[in-house]
Amino acid sequence: MVTLHVRPQLLDALSALRDRVAAARFPLPLAGAPRARANRDELLAQLDDYLVPRLREPDAPLLAVVGGSTGAGKSTLVNSLVGRRVSEAGVLRPTTRTPVLVCHPEDQHWFSGARVLPGFTRVWVPPEDPRDDMLVPAEVPGRVLRIETADTLPPGLALLDAPDIDSLVADNRVLAAELLCAADIWVMVTTAARYADAVPWHLLRTAKEYDATLVTVLDRVPHQVVSEVSRQYGALLTKAGLGDVPRFTVPELPESAWGGGLLPGTAVAALRTWLVHQAQDPGARHQAMARTAYGLLNSLKCRLPELAGAAAAQYSAALRLTAAVDGAYDNEHTRVQRRLRAGAVLAGDALKRWRAFPLDCSPAELLDSLVESLTALLLCAVTAADEQVDEAWRHDPAAGAPELAGHGPSARNAEHRIGLAVRRWRRELEEYAEDEVRHRSTSPDPEMVAALVATALLGGRRASTAGEGLAERIGVQGALRLRDWSGRLLTEYVDRVMHAERERRLAPLDALEVHPEPQAELIAALSVLQKER
Amino acid sequence: MTAVTEQDPTEHTDHTVKPASEEGAAPRTDLTSLMERMERLDRTERTDSRERTERTDCGGRSERADRTERAGEGPCGLDGTADPGTEEDIWDDGLIARRVNENDGPPQFTPVERRPAVGPPFMPLAYDGPLRSRLDALRELVGLSRARLDSGTLAEAGRVLDEASARRRLSGQHTVVAIAGATGSGKSQLFNTLAGVTISETGVRRPTTAAPIACSWSDGAATLLDRLGIPGRLRRRPIQYPDTESPLRGLVLVDLPDHDSAAVQHREQVDRILALVDAVIWVVDPEKYADAVLHERYLRPMAGHAEITFVVLNQVDRLPGEAAEQVLDDLRRLLDEDGVALGEYGEPGATVLALSALTGDGVGELREVLGQFVAARQAPARRIAADVDVAARHLRPVYVTGGRTGLSEGAREEFADRLADAVGATAAGEAAERAWLRNANRACGTPWLRLWRWYHDRREPTTGRLPLRAPADEEATARQRVEQAVRTVSDRASAGLPAPWAQAVREAAVRGSQGLPEALDELVTRAGLPPGRPPRPGWWPVAVLAQACMTLLQVVGGLWLLGQIIGFMSPNLGVPVLLMLSGIIGGPVIEWSCRMAARGPARRYGHEAERRLREAAAGCGRARVLDPLASELLRYREVREQYGKVTGAEAMVR
């Protein structure tokens, strides 16, 4: 039998694990991502609201959370256990919207702070308040937990009336799930009409999975059928492997009938006795607490690998997306290089200018058209790459993240950015040509030299005469040097453009920050925790 | 009021507990069921093996993952397979108690062989005109889109069509109404009350009814029940039978199993039958009327079927005093939030009633409403119409987007411009213009200027100046510009189209653009200007002659002056100087005026050259790219029109 006392190393390992879990993100909409997010939130809630505070302070009162479907009579049951109306009950569903925590006045300090359920604003209604006004002030923001004190409850036990576990109001569902996570004892309420519903059974299975201390209450059972319904329910529980779960039957009484009255003490006496026993008998109390706590610790063994698996799936999806972008841009980059070598820039307009050069075309015009043609080549490559990426991403569910969808406006600016880079290349080329020409006796027109270099560079084979012309003007040495240098410059600029565009395309994906670390960190934190146990 | 059940305690003893073989109701949460499911997954699922191994890592949790996989499978509600993703996701959001953890048993129903409908009293159902045309339009739509959309998208529409034609072959005098609801809401009791005889077993065991039971108020419904797969042993008669004057004549009532118990096969049966019946009575009780499963899984997806929906709040006898009224109001509010139109104040919509099947309160009213409903014989057509509405709504994203579609004149012109750029029409035109001008200047220049130019040219390197014609410019067209032009125009054309059609448009453009650069290459050589010198206008010889005269004048004047200087001639400065001056001034003047005069023809010549190239390129582009695009757009417009017919007739049917 494990003992429950404060163990700093275990707590440290646990809080390290908690941070890892909190840091895990599942931004890509993969098939398992919503589930992983829900599991992470639930695990976080269990660690924050239950496991860490419980291991830190084993002496805190036991918290029994009453959960169940809508209309199962949870509030009536709590009211009856306490002996006065602490929680609203009524005929309209869902009734309880604000969770109510009831404890002995001496225990109030345990719950008024942020020890458990730190995400809830506490509202305290003093018991001497004569008004039967249970409405929470509307101005309290966020989630609210109402704390009531009652002398009728024994010290060391607190009851929490949760909203419907399967409410039509989505917030209530989340709330109820989170509250159940904070429980030492799960009190599962179902009714004669509901005991075969799927919803309570899911809840029971979850409780079994976490090995939480569980008790079920079969509520609203008409007198005539008590034995039969009870037997049926017992059979179902046994079949589900939950035969040893304490089971209490509360008959349907006129007081319980939708009016929010209190059931007579006898109706809930057995349950009350059981709860009081759990709270006051040290052995039973210890067992109840340890079972839930260690059940939860045990459940980490398969829940964390599951989260780690989801994190790994996220990372591999991110890699897949990145690889699609890289592949497309690499493809296009090679294609651009091939076409540059083939002289594809000197085509169309530029070719016509070159044919008319220099008689009917000025060097500036030739350069202009070459620059335009080069811009078109690069823009074509970039848009083709983007198209390939879109195509590849369309078949990948991970690319459905809204952050990855909006690359429209920046794509439209690609023309602008590429044009800017190419013009800058031209300016540098011209400057260099000017330098080259300056200390020559013949002093040919630098613009002419620049135009010839650009043509020779971009025209491939069909511009061989440009090279000859250049050699005639600035000598073979100079021509070679100028050509080499401007060729390097061109490669550099083309690489830079393609790289920048690829980065732009990858930026939203990078912003999601899907890294390989969470997977390893989660597993590592788990193994540290296992060692500490 | 004490402990009231939905049934008289003496009654349930009549009905013995079912044999254990029918115990499919109880959940089986053992390893075998899990393994069964894993096997099934292996067979049916297309998840990659990695995910699967993750799942098997921890058995307990695997069931949830399993659940997600299954979300896309089963039909849910009347809605069919319509939108499994969102709807199921909402339901199965992973919260505690909302992870579906289902046990599959063998299906309990056995679809009955469909017998050919025979018998004189049989009269098939006839749909009215608008509905028929909508169904035809839907059929046409499915046919037209089959090549563009994947079969999954069209599955629901296909199902609706199948069901519509199946229902049409069957009796139009009967209305099949299903009684659906949660376990313990008193479906069977209401069924029995309406039938006037205990047909369906009621009891405190949950869930009670495991298989649907039918009760038919008049003959000829056998084929309808065959379609529902209800075997003969589960078909009953009401007590009034054969009272042909019964107000419920024509009613076929089906008592369904529950939809919310842990027995999954019950829900499957409910889903299956709800998709086939003509109308539904939802039975809710004060305890369960706000269950999320009822609203999220059934009522919300079925909101479009409001006209064939009844919602009855049973067990009002359990509610004290005016609480019944409150609960009913709350139920109305919830239905309103679900989007279910309520049939109040004479408007079409769902009928909401409160009743107690136990005491009989309000049953008369239901009977009356039901009688009118059945007598109207409108339910099957309304149901089909609602199905068509739902199918059309789900198909909307693949047929309609907000934006306007089509290829604007501007986009076409832009495409032509880009192609012209690609073949270099502008540059060719400019070059031609300048060449013409240059030739004109050369022809009409003063001889001295020509002499100077000739001398100057000899000193300069000759590179590039002599337009040595390359034998043939292979790849004279800028490939990248053509590619970009096609991409831009296909983007423009597909803007505002739903994704599948936009894809089709893009594919058509890509197909058309194959071979386009080569065609343009060929075209450039054909449509370009004829090689050699540009043509010379008729006034050139005159100008050349005048220029020669001017030179002659200069020479004559010069010689005359020279003669005077050497004393060969009598001194007379005036005339020779005048002659020479007029020659010297006249030469440039003539050159200048020729240049002015040449400008116009040169521009015309250049424009002509540009126009020829541009038109040839545009024509080529139109034939290869724009026409296929336009026909693709036309096809979409046709489909869009069909879709409009499917939905547009809604108002008329209503």
Side-chain angles (χ1 to χ4, degrees):
Chain A
M1 183 63 211
V2 284
T3 53
L4 267 184
H5 52 257
V6 183
R7 290 159 60 189
Q9 291 95 341
L10 180 63
L11 277 172
D12 285 350
L14 209 54
S15 59
L17 179 106
R18 185 236 167 249
D19 292 344
R20 295 284 173 251
V21 172
R25 293 269 175 282
F26 308 95
L28 297 176
L30 295 172
R35 182 51 56 85
R37 263 172 249 148
N39 285 350
R40 186 195 66 130
D41 292 348
E42 186 187 307
L43 186 54
L44 214 53
Q46 282 177 326
L47 290 173
D48 279 350
D49 296 341
Y50 179 68
L51 198 54
V52 174
R54 174 51 73 200
L55 291 180
R56 192 166 284 151
E57 281 156 320
D59 300 329
L62 283 184
L63 181 62
V65 176
V66 181
S69 322
T70 172
K74 297 179 294 297
S75 299
T76 310
L77 189 71
V78 169
N79 289 343
S80 307
L81 283 170
V82 174
R84 69 180 175 89
R85 274 191 71 193
V86 287
S87 183
E88 217 174 337
V91 288
L92 300 188
R93 322 253 151 258
T95 320
T96 306
R97 286 162 192 273
T98 308
V100 181
L101 192 149
V102 198
C103 61
H104 191 267
E106 284 171 23
D107 288 337
Q108 203 198 341
H109 67 278
W110 289 109
F111 298 104
S112 52
R115 189 186 71 95
V116 287
L117 301 170
F120 289 79
T121 313
R122 306 301 202 259
V123 177
W124 185 57
V125 182
E128 60 269 21
D129 194 344
R131 288 176 300 126
D132 206 5
D133 180 18
M134 308 220 171
L135 290 177
V136 170
E139 64 267 21
V140 177
R143 304 160 103 185
V144 168
L145 177 68
R146 197 150 58 81
I147 296 187
E148 291 268 349
T149 51
D151 298 328
T152 43
L153 272 186
L157 177 70
L159 287 175
L160 207 166
D161 180 22
D164 318 327
I165 197 65
D166 183 32
S167 176
L168 250 185
V169 185
D171 287 348
N172 275 7
R173 294 203 289 260
V174 180
L175 196 65
E178 202 177 321
L179 290 173
L180 264 181
C181 291
D184 287 295
I185 300 174
W186 297 31
V187 183
M188 231 290 302
V189 185
T190 189
T191 66
R194 278 192 184 277
Y195 68 86
D197 280 15
V199 169
W201 281 100
H202 296 159
L203 194 57
L204 283 174
R205 282 200 198 95
T206 311
K208 188 185 173 206
E209 199 179 299
Y210 296 160
D211 199 19
T213 304
L214 178 69
V215 52
T216 70
V217 179
L218 191 58
D219 199 1
R220 297 218 158 122
V221 189
H223 276 305
Q224 303 90 327
V225 294
V226 165
S227 57
E228 189 186 346
V229 167
S230 179
R231 197 181 61 242
Q232 294 266 352
Y233 186 48
L236 289 182
L237 280 174
T238 313
K239 212 167 179 183
L242 291 162
D244 56 339
V245 170
R247 189 152 50 84
F248 299 94
T249 306
V250 177
E252 178 163 47
L253 297 170
E255 292 91 335
S256 69
W258 325 104
L262 299 179
L263 301 172
T266 50
V268 294
L271 174 64
R272 193 183 147 80
T273 314
W274 187 84
L275 284 173
V276 169
H277 175 75
Q278 297 295 320
Q280 296 192 326
D281 179 66
R285 173 192 154 84
H286 184 95
Q287 199 180 351
M289 213 150 65
R291 179 172 176 181
T292 309
Y294 281 89
L296 191 53
L297 273 179
N298 284 331
S299 78
L300 291 179
K301 237 183 302 183
C302 71
R303 291 163 78 188
L304 275 181
E306 198 182 339
L307 276 187
Q314 290 277 321
Y315 180 61
S316 73
L319 273 189
R320 209 161 55 231
L321 295 182
T322 313
V325 175
D326 282 347
Y329 273 89
D330 283 347
N331 254 351
E332 286 303 319
H333 198 170
T334 351
R335 194 160 74 114
V336 163
Q337 283 167 337
R338 203 172 56 236
R339 298 182 78 166
L340 276 177
R341 272 199 303 278
V345 175
L346 194 64
D349 244 16
L351 184 63
K352 291 279 188 289
R353 298 262 186 225
W354 168 240
R355 292 292 175 230
F357 182 80
L359 279 183
D360 300 324
C361 169
S362 72
E365 279 173 331
L366 179 61
L367 261 179
D368 280 348
S369 69
L370 282 172
V371 159
E372 254 177 54
S373 195
L374 181 61
T375 309
L377 178 70
L378 289 176
L379 182 65
C380 171
V382 167
T383 37
D386 272 349
E387 214 173 60
Q388 284 175 35
V389 170
D390 284 343
E391 178 66 25
W393 281 16
R394 191 169 46 233
H395 301 298
D396 199 327
E403 294 89 346
L404 299 182
H407 67 280
S410 65
R412 250 173 272 132
N413 289 334
E415 188 166 5
H416 175 71
R417 285 192 302 269
I418 293 173
L420 215 63
V422 174
R423 280 197 297 280
R424 199 173 299 140
W425 168 76
R426 174 193 173 162
R427 207 158 47 242
E428 273 195 52
L429 185 70
E430 279 171 344
E431 278 166 17
Y432 198 78
E434 226 163 278
D435 282 352
E436 188 69 33
V437 165
R438 194 170 297 149
H439 40 264
R440 273 183 190 280
S441 50
T442 50
S443 69
D445 179 16
E447 202 159 38
M448 171 75 89
V449 170
L452 283 175
V453 170
T455 312
L457 203 62
L458 297 170
R461 251 178 332 111
R462 69 177 66 163
S464 49
T465 49
E468 291 163 20
L470 193 62
E472 272 175 34
R473 280 179 178 82
I474 58 171
V476 176
Q477 286 296 321
L480 271 181
R481 194 168 57 238
L482 192 57
R483 217 184 136 158
D484 276 357
W485 181 83
S486 53
R488 275 201 302 281
L489 192 69
L490 177 67
T491 318
E492 187 187 312
Y493 267 93
V494 168
D495 289 354
R496 200 185 293 167
V497 164
M498 296 302 283
H499 186 72
E501 292 303 313
R502 177 194 308 212
E503 289 303 304
R504 169 191 63 76
R505 189 65 212 247
L506 281 175
L509 187 59
D510 290 341
L512 289 181
E513 295 191 335
V514 182
H515 300 305
E517 290 86 19
Q519 184 198 8
E521 286 173 353
L522 281 172
I523 298 296
L526 177 65
S527 65
V528 169
L529 184 71
Q530 297 288 343
K531 221 180 291 167
E532 285 303 330
R533 290 192 53 194
Chain B
M1 182 176 61
T2 54
V4 188
T5 68
E6 63 271 60
Q7 138 178 37
D8 198 70
T10 53
E11 198 176 285
H12 77 267
T13 49
D14 300 342
H15 304 278
T16 47
V17 175
K18 267 181 274 175
S21 60
E22 282 185 50
E23 257 318 319
R28 291 188 295 142
T29 45
D30 45 12
L31 204 60
T32 48
S33 70
L34 178 64
M35 280 167 63
E36 266 172 40
R37 232 167 317 122
M38 299 307 287
E39 266 173 36
R40 218 167 49 78
L41 267 179
D42 279 340
R43 265 184 283 116
T44 55
E45 296 299 337
R46 60 246 172 267
T47 49
D48 53 353
S49 56
R50 180 164 32 80
E51 282 187 18
R52 207 175 298 146
T53 45
E54 277 171 22
R55 214 180 307 135
T56 43
D57 278 345
C58 35
R61 308 282 293 190
S62 70
E63 294 167 17
R64 295 177 198 174
D66 182 0
R67 174 67 191 71
T68 329
E69 307 285 333
R70 292 165 41 77
E73 284 179 15
C76 24
L78 290 176
D79 194 22
T81 53
D83 194 4
T86 54
E87 187 199 331
E88 289 277 326
D89 284 349
I90 292 167
W91 169 243
D92 179 30
D93 52 12
L95 282 176
I96 286 183
R98 279 170 70 91
R99 301 159 188 148
V100 179
N101 186 340
E102 296 171 342
N103 298 317
D104 287 351
Q108 291 192 332
F109 61 89
T110 42
V112 179
E113 290 279 315
R114 278 187 196 173
R115 284 167 291 179
V118 282
F122 174 75
M123 186 190 281
L125 176 65
Y127 296 143
D128 55 351
L131 179 57
R132 225 178 11 246
S133 67
R134 289 180 69 193
L135 284 168
D136 288 345
L138 185 60
R139 189 167 300 118
E140 186 106 338
L141 183 69
V142 170
L144 282 172
S145 336
R146 224 175 265 290
R148 295 273 174 270
L149 305 178
D150 62 90
S151 53
T153 318
L154 294 172
E156 193 199 356
R159 192 192 61 80
V160 169
L161 286 173
D162 291 348
E163 295 307 340
S165 62
R167 182 67 185 88
R168 202 176 48 138
R169 280 195 296 273
L170 302 174
S171 167
Q173 293 175 320
H174 291 84
T175 305
V176 184
V177 180
I179 299 187
T183 102
S185 290
K187 296 179 296 297
S188 298
Q189 200 165 28
L190 179 64
F191 181 79
N192 291 344
T193 310
L194 284 173
V197 61
T198 304
I199 294 172
S200 192
E201 186 186 356
T202 59
V204 290
R205 275 183 75 254
R206 303 273 163 261
T208 320
T209 309
I213 296 178
C215 176
S216 163
W217 265 256
S218 55
D219 279 331
T223 45
L224 280 170
L225 293 174
D226 287 350
R227 179 164 169 250
L228 299 185
I230 297 174
R233 63 188 161 85
L234 293 175
R235 299 178 188 177
R236 304 292 148 82
R237 297 291 189 198
I239 192 159
Q240 304 100 314
Y241 194 81
D243 176 12
T244 48
E245 292 312 305
S246 161
L248 295 180
R249 193 173 135 70
L251 174 68
V252 179
L253 206 57
V254 181
D255 183 23
L256 292 181
D258 61 274
H259 62 249
D260 66 341
S261 80
V264 178
Q265 55 273 38
H266 287 192
R267 211 189 74 217
E268 284 166 359
Q269 293 216 37
V270 171
D271 291 345
R272 183 180 62 87
I273 289 184
L274 279 183
L276 301 175
V277 296
D278 299 328
V280 191
I281 301 176
W282 287 101
V283 181
V284 298
D285 65 67
E287 191 180 324
K288 289 186 163 188
Y289 75 90
D291 273 15
V293 64
L294 171 71
H295 291 270
E296 289 181 0
R297 208 175 199 127
Y298 292 97
L299 290 177
R300 276 179 205 167
M302 270 187 52
H305 293 75
E307 279 182 56
I308 54 146
T309 302
F310 298 80
V311 182
V312 299
L313 177 69
N314 196 8
Q315 303 177 5
V316 282
D317 53 307
R318 292 174 75 185
L319 288 171
E322 60 205 41
E325 218 28 64
Q326 277 179 27
V327 172
L328 200 61
D329 281 346
D330 199 42
L331 176 62
R332 286 210 180 92
R333 178 186 63 82
L334 288 177
L335 288 173
D336 196 45
E337 279 173 13
D338 290 337
V340 177
L342 298 181
E344 291 164 330
Y345 317 114
E347 286 169 22
T351 311
V352 182
L353 294 172
L355 56 79
S356 165
L358 183 76
T359 62
D361 268 0
V363 175
E365 197 184 342
L366 174 65
R367 204 185 285 272
E368 193 179 313
V369 172
L370 212 53
Q372 287 168 6
F373 183 76
V374 170
R377 290 184 191 166
Q378 288 296 311
R382 280 189 189 154
R383 198 252 140 81
I384 297 295
D387 277 352
V388 173
D389 285 349
V390 170
R393 202 168 50 241
H394 285 136
L395 285 176
R396 191 179 168 80
V398 298
Y399 290 117
V400 185
T401 53
R404 51 187 291 277
T405 59
L407 201 50
S408 67
E409 203 49 46
R412 286 165 177 273
E413 271 166 26
E414 195 190 330
F415 180 62
D417 284 349
R418 281 172 187 268
L419 282 188
D421 271 354
V423 297
T426 318
E430 264 176 37
E433 182 182 339
R434 288 179 194 173
W436 205 92
L437 214 53
R438 185 162 44 84
N439 282 333
N441 290 346
R442 179 167 293 182
C444 309
T446 57
W448 313 118
L449 201 62
R450 291 168 80 169
L451 196 68
W452 181 79
R453 276 207 194 116
W454 172 78
Y455 171 73
H456 186 75
D457 284 354
R458 279 188 51 174
R459 286 179 44 202
E460 283 275 303
T462 56
T463 319
R465 194 147 28 89
L466 301 176
L468 58 153
R469 272 276 163 209
D473 272 330
E474 72 270 19
E475 302 204 359
T477 313
R479 295 320 193 234
Q480 62 270 21
R481 282 184 193 267
V482 176
E483 201 181 316
Q484 195 66 15
V486 170
R487 190 171 291 136
T488 315
V489 78
S490 75
D491 277 355
R492 290 279 166 82
S494 62
L497 292 189
W501 306 96
Q503 181 67 15
V505 164
R506 271 196 291 272
E507 277 165 14
V510 168
R511 256 199 319 279
S513 70
Q514 275 162 7
L516 180 61
E518 288 75 14
L520 288 175
D521 281 347
E522 197 185 320
L523 203 131
V524 168
T525 49
R526 259 192 296 118
L529 290 174
R533 299 170 76 87
R536 345 173 98 225
W539 49 266
W540 272 17
V542 181
V544 172
L545 198 66
Q547 199 63 270
C549 287
M550 289 303 145
T551 314
L552 203 65
L553 278 180
Q554 288 175 31
V555 172
V556 169
L559 285 178
W560 196 335
L561 273 182
L562 196 70
Q564 285 180 6
I565 288 164
I566 57 173
F568 179 71
M569 294 182 84
S570 58
N572 181 3
L573 280 178
V575 180
V577 167
L578 213 62
L579 274 180
M580 213 168 129
L581 269 182
S582 65
I584 289 172
I585 294 168
V589 164
I590 286 175
E591 188 181 335
W592 180 80
S593 51
C594 278
R595 191 172 290 187
M596 288 299 113
R599 230 180 239 180
R603 193 173 304 135
R604 270 199 300 283
Y605 180 68
H607 279 181
E608 171 66 14
E610 184 180 342
R611 192 188 57 80
R612 286 171 69 171
L613 264 183
R614 181 181 288 271
E615 279 181 2
C620 190
R622 197 178 313 122
R624 280 174 177 265
V625 176
L626 290 184
D627 287 351
L629 278 188
S631 67
E632 200 61 46
L633 285 173
L634 201 67
R635 200 167 305 154
Y636 166 71
R637 217 158 290 148
E638 216 173 292
V639 167
R640 176 73 184 77
E641 222 163 85
Q642 285 295 337
Y643 180 76
K645 275 187 206 157
V646 172
T647 56
E650 246 172 83
M652 281 188 270
V653 169
R654 290 274 159 110

